[in-house]
Amino acid sequence: MSTNPTPRGFTSNIGAILAAAGGAVGLGNIWRFPYMLGQNGGGAFLLIYILFVLLIGIPLMMTEFIIGRRSQRNVVGAYKALSGGRKGWVVLGIFGIVAAFLIYAFYSVVAGWTLNYIVLSGSGRLAGLEPDAVANVFANFTQGSFLPLLCQLLFLALTGIVITMGVQKGIEKVGKILMPILFLLLILMCVRSLTLSGSQEGMKFLFKPDFSKLTGQSVLSALGQSFFSLSIGMGAMVTYGSYIRKEDRLFKTSIWIALCDLLVAVLAGVVIFPAVFAFGMDPASGPELVYVVLPNVFNNMPAGTLFSLIFFLLLGIAALTSTISLLEIIVAFAVEELHWKRTTASLVSTLLVFVVGAFCTLSFGPLQNAKLFDRTIFDLFDLITASYLMPIGALLMTIFLGWCYPKAEVKDELSNNGTLKARAFELYYIILRYIAPLALVIILISGIIG
Ligand code: PFF
């Protein structure tokens, strides 16, 4: 008879990798990364980004996994269990829950948009429109109230349903089904994009580094983007880490997840830039790159309606596996610490996020003039979480594990109780104690003064 070694968590290593890669791969890869790369000069940004993912991203992901798996708890419970009763560290866990809540509130807005764009592209309503008309469709939709709120609510509900089904039957299963589909659709899109005549310009833009275009600010954007994309700094990977089986290798698992995340970002670039260049669009157009520029690109290519539908499906799938990881951070906390039922926890958190997230949705329309520090509510949530809460969370986490937790225990967890050689341990530990905190302090200070 087969017994499940960790009944509370994932049932296999591949399940863990796909679920966590699903959490990492999201709008950050397909929506945020391409437009940031477009605005920061292309290839050079990509190179710096890859460096950050490998040098800092992977060690920090390992750190979250170590904290989660060692404690076998949600993000608040983890710090409670590992800090030996020093209450201050529990605040770091609560900080993670708040960050997850705020990210979920604004992320679900853009995630909801994918639903409308799946319908719009599938029904051919974007087909044949002039560029101005495509821009108008986006403006009219996002500036409205009812439809974007409905889309957001539907997306939140979809996520809530998966979470209610549990870690194995919900999160792991959805990851195992959707991630391969996502890769398949992405590769299909790459082939389409690369076979357009004139696509080489886009490939050059993406892969040929021009360091003269790189500014200090773009280096920092690349670092910030790597955290956002890998979901580091607010407990998502602590929570998922607590579901990873004790016999799985955390080093290998982290590398696979980070490589998947990187690959999807690069492939999204391969889909977007050759097509954008082939049709003479602007690669540096910003956040509306995929919602305004791409539909125009699809309108110019053979079988554009089909590929537009595939693209927005892809975006929706990527967003869903990420919103699942965001909600799970909150729900795991409510279930384990507050002893709520999973269903109640999903429902209550979803409704609360909707109440707050609605303000983010409305900040594109009726509330667009409600500004603080010259930013809309949506922008403020994005800024506070990605530029402050995630780096602060990651910094405190490295201080906790690198400086306040016994080194021997860290090694024990990484080497599966000494059964693995863990040859890279010393290097990992140097990054954990010195390099990662330093990089994080630099991002934070430059964020504050910039
Ligand atoms: N990594 C996700 C993305 O790239 O879209 C965003 C994200 C998900 C950030 C979950 C944080 C998180 F906990």
Side-chain angles (χ1 to χ4, degrees):
M1 250 188 32
S2 76
T3 52
N4 182 355
T6 46
R8 68 190 291 286
F10 299 131
T11 59
S12 65
N13 193 222
I14 184 76
I17 290 172
L18 290 177
V25 171
L27 296 169
N29 304 62
I30 306 176
W31 166 70
R32 204 168 188 263
F33 176 78
Y35 84 70
M36 293 200 84
L37 185 127
Q39 288 178 329
N40 287 287
F45 181 87
L46 176 65
L47 213 68
I48 301 284
Y49 177 78
I50 292 176
L51 219 69
F52 284 144
V53 167
L54 299 182
L55 284 182
I56 301 178
I58 291 175
L60 285 183
M61 186 177 289
M62 283 162 64
T63 304
E64 292 213 13
F65 283 160
I66 290 171
I67 294 173
R69 197 174 70 168
R70 191 78 182 160
S71 63
Q72 293 288 299
R73 307 273 286 277
N74 65 88
V75 62
V76 172
Y79 286 107
K80 226 189 250 175
L82 300 187
S83 65
R86 276 171 292 171
K87 288 235 166 55
W89 288 113
V90 177
V91 176
L92 180 53
I94 295 171
F95 187 91
I97 304 284
V98 172
F101 188 90
L102 296 179
I103 293 179
Y104 196 20
F106 84 84
Y107 198 87
S108 56
V109 176
V110 185
W113 293 352
T114 63
L115 295 182
N116 187 44
Y117 271 74
I118 289 170
V119 174
L120 284 177
S121 53
S123 59
R125 266 183 283 167
L126 294 171
L129 295 183
E130 291 298 316
D132 277 358
V134 171
N136 277 340
V137 168
F138 180 73
N140 288 339
F141 165 57
T142 54
Q143 287 167 13
S145 310
F146 178 72
L147 194 55
L149 282 174
L150 180 69
C151 288
Q152 184 181 28
L153 187 60
L154 281 176
F155 212 96
L156 291 169
L158 206 61
T159 310
I161 290 169
V162 175
I163 289 299
T164 304
M165 293 192 297
V167 175
Q168 296 166 3
K169 296 209 176 84
I171 302 172
E172 186 175 355
K173 195 164 210 174
V174 166
K176 272 185 176 164
I177 298 171
L178 291 188
M179 290 309 283
I181 296 179
L182 182 124
F183 273 105
L184 214 77
L185 294 181
L186 199 54
I187 288 168
L188 207 71
M189 288 297 302
C190 282
V191 173
R192 168 69 280 185
S193 199
L194 289 174
T195 47
L196 292 167
S197 67
S199 64
Q200 307 87 318
E201 268 315 295
M203 291 301 275
K204 256 195 231 152
F205 177 75
L206 182 59
F207 290 114
K208 203 158 164 248
D210 174 0
F211 285 98
S212 68
K213 295 227 178 85
L214 210 63
T215 61
Q217 202 50 46
S218 30
V219 174
L220 294 168
S221 303
L223 190 54
Q225 171 63 18
S226 68
F227 284 116
F228 187 80
S229 189
L230 294 171
S231 310
I232 284 166
M234 20 72 67
M237 295 301 173
V238 170
T239 310
Y240 277 13
S242 77
Y243 303 142
I244 296 178
R245 300 180 311 169
K246 282 287 185 188
E247 68 265 39
D248 290 344
R249 296 166 183 233
L250 294 185
F251 187 42
K252 193 182 95 185
T253 305
S254 311
I255 291 182
W256 272 113
I257 296 163
L259 289 184
C260 273
D261 192 68
L262 192 58
L263 186 67
V264 172
V266 173
L267 290 181
V270 171
V271 168
I272 292 170
F273 293 109
V276 164
F277 276 84
F279 296 110
M281 305 276 171
D282 179 13
S285 64
E288 69 274 16
L289 180 69
V290 306
Y291 287 100
V292 176
V293 177
L294 277 193
N296 283 314
V297 170
F298 293 128
N299 274 339
N300 284 302
M301 66 168 65
T305 299
L306 175 67
F307 283 101
S308 152
L309 173 64
I310 292 176
F311 178 81
F312 286 110
L313 265 176
L314 182 76
L315 198 61
I317 290 174
L320 180 63
T321 49
S322 289
T323 52
I324 288 171
S325 74
L326 283 163
L327 182 57
E328 180 61 15
I329 304 172
I330 305 167
V331 167
F333 158 74
V335 169
E336 292 172 14
E337 303 302 312
L338 310 177
H339 308 292
W340 290 11
K341 280 206 197 105
R342 194 165 247 281
T343 318
T344 315
S346 312
L347 190 68
V348 172
S349 327
T350 299
L351 288 177
L352 282 177
V353 169
F354 182 60
V355 170
V356 177
F359 287 93
C360 297
T361 293
L362 296 176
S363 74
F364 286 88
L367 296 181
Q368 57 181 274
N369 293 322
K371 289 189 177 168
L372 200 63
F373 306 117
D374 212 26
R375 286 171 199 270
T376 64
I377 302 170
F378 179 95
D379 290 340
L380 213 58
F381 273 44
D382 185 346
L383 177 82
I384 290 174
T385 53
S387 302
Y388 299 103
L389 298 188
M390 290 178 85
I392 291 174
L395 175 63
L396 294 176
M397 177 180 79
T398 57
I399 294 175
F400 174 73
L401 203 74
W403 296 88
C404 303
Y405 193 69
K407 182 177 177 184
E409 304 242 349
V410 177
K411 185 162 187 187
D412 193 57
E413 191 58 41
L414 203 58
S415 64
N416 294 359
N417 299 321
T419 55
L420 305 172
K421 285 209 186 80
R423 259 168 295 183
F425 178 76
E426 289 303 330
L427 175 64
Y428 160 73
Y429 207 67
I430 290 172
I431 297 177
L432 172 69
R433 286 192 96 169
Y434 306 104
I435 300 177
L438 193 72
L440 286 159
V441 167
I442 295 172
I443 314 188
L444 277 166
I445 293 178
S446 70
I448 291 164
I449 56 180

